[in-house]
Amino acid sequence: MLYTNCTNFADMKETDVLIIGAGLGGLFTGALLAKEGLRVTLVEKNPTIGGGLQTFRRWGESFDTGMHVVGGMRPGGNIRAICQYLGILDEVRLRDVDDDCTDSLFFAEDRQTYRIAKGREGFVNSLSHYFPDQRQNIGRYVDAIGRLTDEVPLFHLKPQADTLSLHSDEFMMPADAFIARYISHPRLRTVVAYMNPLYGGRADETPAYVHAIVNTLYIHGASRFVDGSSHFAQSLAGVITRAGGEILTGEGVTHVEVSRRHADWVETTKGRRILARTYISAIHPCALIPLCSPKTFTPAFRHRMDSIPNSYSAFSLFVRFRPESRFPYINHSVYYMTRYDEIWHFGRTDKPWPQGFLFMTPPSTHQGPYAAKALVTAPMSFETVRPWEHTLTGRRGPDYEAWKRDMTGRLMAKMEELYPGFARQVEAVCSASPLTIRDYYGSKEGCLCGFSKDSHNPALSQLPVVTRVDNLLLTGQNNNLHGFCGVPLTAINTCEALLGRNHIVNKIRSCVGSEHIL
């Protein structure tokens, strides 16, 4: 027995590490610990694993629910190095976006399209084509965001010093002010901020380092999962199960027993009680707190978690083209923006919706010149769906269904503006709202990027992976960084809180070779 105060439980299991939630954070954390020889058990309330890596099938097609575009998987990429260390790199099915156009941006205000190429020189040359007098400033800006990423050693999988790191004055500067320091042209400032939807960027709030990490990552080159992202979740799960671990699906955690600042066991919806040496929560902190014994966290901590603003959510369309359609497969992401001055105001309810959206045609194994399906994702505040927040899936009522049809119509009208005749090529459309995301992922208010970072109050949203419970750790997008890049890096932080500083980083560098990491 691991703990002698828990001896009479029926159907009792024991494990080295128990992880609550099998999303991207739980899977990466579990895989890294399994690689270290620990016996890992993941408990997932949904019938399928993956969180934002989940896919669903409709009309004979597979659709991603979250991870549409990923960075860090090109040669030299940090996430690629982690996958190589885990031994799953050969299993990952990816298609790189076009180097000569990684992204295109359309602004309805002046009907201008900007095409952006890969790499530092590609980025500088692309934008200099539209703003020739800004070439030097664009180069200075790219170098500046590179310097900010150097202040985050983990981003480059470098060992972290034992002493507290001191950051430059630009590190926590609001991202919009940081951009304005280097870019003098107002419209160009908007253009270089076009990735705001990927990290929940807000005016005078989002820290410059968040902007820098995301933009640097995608300037190095983006990729897409072929045939959906769920196979990546299965690859991570394979690392865990091959090492003797277990993943329990359709079985949520209902209680975490904590006494004297020590977690003793968890109980699941199936009445199972599981004992572990270490417990890790990969779910939203506000979802973890009610599961724990009443005095686990102080009232001040509870209040703080409830008061941190969440990033905005989204409304999405999943499109199936007609079999005879000749809509082209587009091997890059397309961003639609209404106005230049709206780029920092996604998700605001006092602005006409949508302020903008991401459009893409996902690839399949035998992708030809034409697309079979498409995704449209528009940032949206959870406040928009607040009237239905206490309803259940499939039982939200006719008003909600009418509202969804209205939102769908608005997005389809914008698509028609972007690609005239688009609607005629569409066979079927279904939609997902912030409520769908909330219920599907278990994220508070359907937030896509976890807690919203605030450059003016960094301590509010900086949540360490360690807790006041001596064997309870946190992982996932609400700690440190979010997204396909940030969550695996946070998983390293969580694992090293258990195994020792730089334990995982040094092993990755030894496996891959430090000269092969950008």
Side-chain angles (χ1 to χ4, degrees):
M1 297 299 297
L2 297 176
Y3 300 110
T4 57
N5 61 335
C6 303
T7 57
N8 298 314
F9 299 150
D11 193 20
M12 186 168 56
K13 290 176 61 65
E14 296 182 8
T15 188
D16 293 328
V17 181
L18 183 287
I19 300 178
I20 305 172
L24 185 65
L27 288 169
F28 257 109
T29 304
L32 289 169
L33 292 175
K35 178 78 172 178
E36 291 301 304
L38 296 175
R39 188 168 40 135
V40 178
T41 299
L42 278 80
V43 182
E44 169 57 51
K45 69 179 181 65
N46 287 329
T48 56
I49 63 172
L53 294 168
Q54 293 179 79
T55 60
F56 69 95
R57 291 193 65 80
R58 186 69 58 88
W59 316 302
E61 295 288 343
S62 178
F63 289 92
D64 291 329
T65 62
M67 299 295 174
H68 306 318
V69 187
V70 298
M73 291 299 291
R74 297 286 189 99
N78 47 14
I79 311 305
R80 180 187 179 95
I82 299 173
C83 292
Q84 183 174 340
Y85 169 69
L86 291 174
I88 62 172
L89 187 58
D90 292 341
E91 302 174 21
V92 184
R93 301 193 298 274
L94 292 172
R95 177 165 180 162
D96 293 339
V97 301
D98 294 333
D99 287 351
D100 62 346
C101 182
T102 61
D103 294 307
S104 67
L105 293 63
F106 173 81
F107 284 85
E109 180 177 348
D110 60 358
R111 302 196 64 79
Q112 175 67 56
T113 297
Y114 303 91
R115 294 169 60 87
I116 299 178
K118 169 183 173 290
R120 182 193 185 281
E121 294 307 312
F123 187 88
V124 173
N125 291 337
S126 297
L127 293 184
S128 298
H129 172 75
Y130 307 102
F131 303 93
D133 63 327
Q134 293 288 304
R135 171 177 285 274
Q136 184 175 2
N137 288 343
I138 298 168
R140 291 174 59 241
Y141 158 79
V142 176
D143 292 340
I145 62 174
R147 288 195 300 272
L148 289 187
T149 66
D150 289 341
E151 295 186 43
V152 185
L154 189 57
F155 179 77
H156 299 287
L157 296 176
K158 292 181 178 179
Q160 300 182 75
D162 292 330
T163 56
L164 184 66
S165 299
L166 297 178
H167 293 297
S168 67
D169 65 329
E170 292 184 333
F171 193 77
M172 289 303 299
M173 178 185 292
D176 51 344
F178 169 81
I179 293 170
R181 173 175 285 192
Y182 293 95
I183 305 295
S184 60
H185 196 292
R187 290 197 169 180
L188 179 57
R189 292 174 184 171
T190 291
V191 171
V192 299
Y194 77 94
M195 290 187 190
N196 275 0
L198 298 183
Y199 55 86
R202 300 177 191 267
D204 194 37
E205 181 177 316
T206 301
Y209 81 90
V210 175
H211 167 84
I213 285 173
V214 174
N215 277 39
T216 298
L217 192 71
Y218 286 96
I219 286 174
H220 285 162
S223 308
R224 295 171 169 179
F225 288 113
V226 175
D227 296 328
S229 53
S230 60
H231 77 273
F232 187 74
Q234 295 298 330
S235 293
L236 291 171
V239 177
I240 297 167
T241 56
R242 286 193 295 271
E246 187 176 11
I247 301 177
L248 309 175
T249 57
E251 186 170 2
V253 169
T254 58
H255 180 69
V256 181
E257 180 64 21
V258 178
S259 60
R260 299 183 298 277
R261 295 193 180 187
H262 189 89
D264 294 326
W265 46 267
V266 303
E267 187 166 10
T268 74
T269 51
K270 294 185 178 180
R272 194 195 317 251
R273 289 184 176 181
I274 308 174
L275 284 72
R277 291 189 178 90
T278 302
Y279 300 83
I280 298 174
S281 173
I283 62 177
H284 196 289
C286 290
L288 170 68
I289 290 173
L291 301 179
C292 296
S293 301
K295 295 183 180 180
T296 300
F297 301 105
T298 65
F301 181 82
R302 292 168 179 261
H303 175 73
R304 178 188 166 209
M305 292 302 99
D306 286 336
S307 63
I308 301 175
N310 290 285
S311 56
Y312 43 70
S313 189
F315 188 96
S316 299
L317 299 184
F318 305 92
V319 177
R320 173 74 165 93
F321 290 115
R322 298 182 183 279
E324 68 274 14
S325 167
R326 298 176 70 83
F327 190 88
Y329 168 75
I330 302 170
N331 198 40
H332 63 263
S333 298
V334 178
Y335 291 83
Y336 174 103
M337 313 290 183
T338 52
R339 298 175 53 83
Y340 286 87
D341 59 6
E342 298 288 355
I343 195 71
W344 291 100
H345 303 298
F346 287 117
R348 284 178 49 170
T349 56
D350 60 341
K351 300 284 185 177
W353 186 90
Q355 285 92 38
F357 58 82
L358 166 67
F359 170 77
M360 64 173 293
T361 53
S364 59
T365 300
H366 304 292
Q367 183 62 57
Y370 303 112
K373 56 189 175 183
L375 301 170
V376 185
T377 301
M380 174 180 279
S381 169
F382 189 80
E383 292 304 314
T384 309
V385 296
R386 189 71 71 181
W388 304 284
E389 68 173 319
H390 299 300
T391 61
L392 301 176
T393 302
R395 302 180 186 177
R396 307 202 195 278
D399 289 347
Y400 175 75
E401 296 302 325
W403 172 82
K404 283 182 69 177
R405 288 192 294 271
D406 180 32
M407 298 301 104
T408 298
R410 293 190 196 187
L411 280 179
M412 289 296 288
K414 298 297 185 184
M415 285 303 306
E416 199 68 24
E417 181 181 352
L418 190 60
Y419 298 106
F422 180 82
R424 293 196 302 271
Q425 304 191 65
V426 173
E427 180 179 62
V429 179
C430 67
S431 61
S433 80
L435 291 171
T436 316
I437 296 171
R438 180 199 66 180
D439 296 344
Y440 211 61
Y441 295 165
S443 62
K444 186 178 180 182
E445 297 183 340
C447 60
L448 292 178
C449 305
F451 286 137
S452 184
K453 304 293 191 296
D454 189 344
S455 59
H456 300 291
N457 192 1
L460 179 65
S461 58
Q462 292 297 318
L463 188 62
V465 299
V466 297
T467 72
R468 69 195 302 267
V469 179
D470 62 19
N471 62 336
L472 174 61
L473 302 173
L474 306 178
T475 197
Q477 67 175 355
N478 293 287
N479 305 90
N480 302 323
L481 303 172
H482 72 277
F484 186 77
C485 172
V487 170
L489 298 181
T490 299
I492 292 177
N493 271 335
T494 301
C495 294
E496 291 187 343
L498 181 62
L499 302 171
R501 184 185 293 271
N502 298 320
H503 182 95
I504 299 293
V505 166
N506 286 333
K507 286 202 169 186
I508 294 172
R509 294 177 70 83
S510 176
C511 171
V512 177
S514 58
E515 70 276 10
H516 298 301
I517 303 174
L518 294 176

